[in-house]
Amino acid sequence: MVKSVSVGLLGLGTVGSGVVKIIENHQDKLMHQVGCPVEIKKVAVRDRDKKRDVALPEAVLTTNVEEVIHDPDIDVVIEVMGGVEETRQYILTALKNGKHVITANKDLMALYGTELLSVASEHGCDLFYEASVAGGIPILRSLVDGLASDRITKMMGIVNGTTNYILTKMSKFHRAYDEALAEAQELGYAEADPTADVEGLDAARKMAILARLGFSMNIDLQDVYVKGITEITEEDINYSKRLGYTMKLIGIAHRDGDKVEVSVQPTLLPETHPLASVNDEYNAVYVYGEAVGETMFYGPGAGSLPTATSVVSDLVAVVKNMRLGVNGRSAVTPQYDKQLKEDSEIYSKYFLRIHVKDQVGAFAKITSLFSERGVSFEKILQLPLNQKDLAEIVLVTHQASLKDYRDVLQQLRDLEVVEEVKSSYRVEGEGAL
Amino acid sequence: MVKSVSVGLLGLGTVGSGVVKIIENHQDKLMHQVGCPVEIKKVAVRDRDKKRDVALPEAVLTTNVEEVIHDPDIDVVIEVMGGVEETRQYILTALKNGKHVITANKDLMALYGTELLSVASEHGCDLFYEASVAGGIPILRSLVDGLASDRITKMMGIVNGTTNYILTKMSKFHRAYDEALAEAQELGYAEADPTADVEGLDAARKMAILARLGFSMNIDLQDVYVKGITEITEEDINYSKRLGYTMKLIGIAHRDGDKVEVSVQPTLLPETHPLASVNDEYNAVYVYGEAVGETMFYGPGAGSLPTATSVVSDLVAVVKNMRLGVNGRSAVTPQYDKQLKEDSEIYSKYFLRIHVKDQVGAFAKITSLFSERGVSFEKILQLPLNQKDLAEIVLVTHQASLKDYRDVLQQLRDLEVVEEVKSSYRVEGEGAL
């Protein structure tokens, strides 16, 4: 049986430092859980001389990644350096050298998860990535283990802390998008280039990972429909509230029969929906199983310590497997062929805000367009605008197929009485709470 | 390697039937996960002829429990019959016969968990009990695995669906306690004899199980302070609301340094606290870890299918362990000696409602009594009552030790101006959401 475990780290940023701290501060607890000492043998960094808040012996640091992934004494490689193409090669090499790998890298797992998991399995290695989705929430393990005997039909998640922070500020403190973004950047919740977050790409990566695991299907990143939050205005948020909704960036993975849809888009949730009260930088994932009904996992989505904690949980799992000699068996091969829903099979309610010319019969022209496609309304507001003889119409439709809704939108834009389609969002049905 | 697995069931009530249904409906998925067929070989029932909604071959049913726990072909015994003393003997026998055991029995695990886990470990058997706490939520596995590398300092839970249903009806629909209870009984959420639920005993059992696991300490049921919901009045609920709180039956397990407190009691939560919006029969467990911060697990607390799903998840884990030959290693030996906090070390805020004689100086007498013990106020309401020259005073204190608070309460009762101490509840500080 394994007597001690040597770990190599790729990267020593905030997450890497967190991992080092937890391993050092919790040696007793780790010993108790895995039954042997865990030692950090080598850490690959970009700059040896950078000042850090963890004290590691000089000899542990190296600027050469190869020294970690080829070191025969290293059992487990923890990748917290980020990046995709180069990092993928490092991880492939580590796996081929028989090292177990733990990664917090959602970009990598969303793009190359299938390949990496299969190489890991070939070489009898574990590849764990709990920290890649909703940092502090053990959602992947819960999907694999806890809900093992259930058939998951729907997952809904707030899986990006930056956008949730921005939308919370816009909703609760009437900030404009730009102000809220600037504030998030100041606090370190958003990066200098926030594109990946605010355009929904980060959330899409996580939804691809969740859908792949939860539906046991090879969902690729390009299968996820993505719309970000950059076009959300104060008006949209105010109307949402007036209609009893909260605006959130929601990732949805939904299975009907054998077909699935996965998307990330701004969504109006009923205020009573449990996800509506997930605020600031917090994340939450709602899971609907046929047997178990609704469950929700809530926690910090990012942050040095929560993410590092997930990484160390994975490390504990790897070391236990090592001591039991059972590594490389936990990667679940996708069980179902990928079948994506057509637009005519994706149903939802929609919020729509349009500016129309304030003339007789305009409203009738618009509503008849909807009724021709069988799309009916749940809520309608019509208000005069203080400009240009325009009126503003806000609609919430009943369930409609995406195909019908898109057709209606297109025809609306072509209508002479329609000045502009200002905004359009998905609306989620009444929450169960 | 194990080629197929035979399961014996003790009990075929709602949960037992659910387990049978899941195993039958999900054979493909089970096969895919564990790699071999799982067969229900024998089911011990009280009455062979009772009409059931699962179809099992005649030969599978038996009225003799011994036939299951002594059957050499049975690998795993699933106990869903309930009861404590007799059931404990059955499970001990099954474990001594080398059978792995899965139980949904919180009463048993709260009272004899330590003994049973140690016998299981001695005989190399798994003993899993995920379904015993918050049926549909994989909270135990998350505590063991997901938060493995974190130090848990606090767990707060709504872990009894019956009382949560009753309190929800009282809060939202102004039902009196008796009405809400009758309604819960009608819907099957409360039993004919609701004592164990409404007196908080059921919740206390679950908190004992959670605290034992989360703090790695041999917490016994008698270590849990328990107060039920039977004395909560409409007035209490109305005042709670007026002060911005929601009344919930909350289980708290709190660790400061090496010492812990565990209790179940009606608690006023800020309306913005995430647990405050957990309604009806739903359960939720909040976990605070030093590293990860706050996480919450939400889901159905009971019900045939959710509980059965947890049982089958345990079964999957057992079968995986069997195929890997690693059973009996997952029971975690308590790592810390039990140290309970003294009353002088347990701090909380309190809500207090008292009737006082409406005479000059009454209020001053009362407040000076508090200030002598160093207990100060956060909120005070004083209102005239429509009877007997009495006034009603409602107070919310700042943090005070349980010892000081109890002393004050005792002295209050002895004060001549105090007609009656009507009610007193714990108050939880501001939620993080």
Side-chain angles (χ1 to χ4, degrees), chain A residues 29 33 146 148 150 296 298 313, chain B residues 29 33 146 148 150 296 298 313:
Chain A
K29 193 164 173 183
Q33 279 185 58
D150 200 358
M296 184 172 90
Y298 164 99
S313 297
Chain B
K29 193 161 174 185
Q33 279 185 59
D150 199 0
M296 184 171 89
Y298 163 98
S313 295

Side-chain angles (χ1 to χ4, degrees), chain A residues 337-404:
Chain A
D337 289 334
K338 180 168 76 180
Q339 291 193 59
L340 300 175
K341 287 193 210 170
E342 308 291 328
D343 286 355
S344 59
E345 299 169 308
I346 296 176
Y347 276 80
S348 177
K349 301 199 280 184
Y350 293 95
F351 165 102
L352 185 64
R353 183 161 68 90
I354 33 186
H355 285 182
V356 300
K357 289 176 187 155
D358 204 356
Q359 47 187 235
V360 178
F363 193 73
K365 276 183 191 152
I366 290 166
T367 51
S368 70
L369 217 162
F370 279 85
S371 64
E372 278 162 27
R373 303 296 303 225
V375 180
S376 58
F377 304 117
E378 187 177 291
K379 289 167 184 166
I380 299 176
L381 283 179
Q382 175 168 357
L383 304 124
L385 275 177
N386 300 330
Q387 43 160 328
K388 295 184 277 173
D389 302 321
L390 292 179
E392 184 157 61
I393 297 180
V394 173
L395 304 167
V396 177
T397 70
H398 283 296
Q399 296 283 342
S401 81
L402 181 54
K403 180 171 187 313
D404 286 339

Side-chain angles (χ1 to χ4, degrees), chain A residues 6 9 30 48 55 117 163 183 187 270 276 342 348 372 374 422:
Chain A
S6 289
L9 250 79
L30 277 175
R48 286 180 70 98
L117 287 165
T163 47
E183 213 173 290
L187 290 166
E342 308 291 328
S348 177
E372 278 162 27
K422 299 295 286 185

Side-chain angles (χ1 to χ4, degrees), chain B residues 75-97:
Chain B
D75 307 294
V76 186
V77 171
I78 296 178
E79 185 273 303
V80 283
M81 62 192 282
V84 176
E85 294 305 334
E86 215 183 10
T87 311
R88 169 182 165 226
Q89 294 306 331
Y90 292 149
I91 291 187
L92 284 172
T93 305
L95 291 170
K96 286 173 185 163
N97 284 338

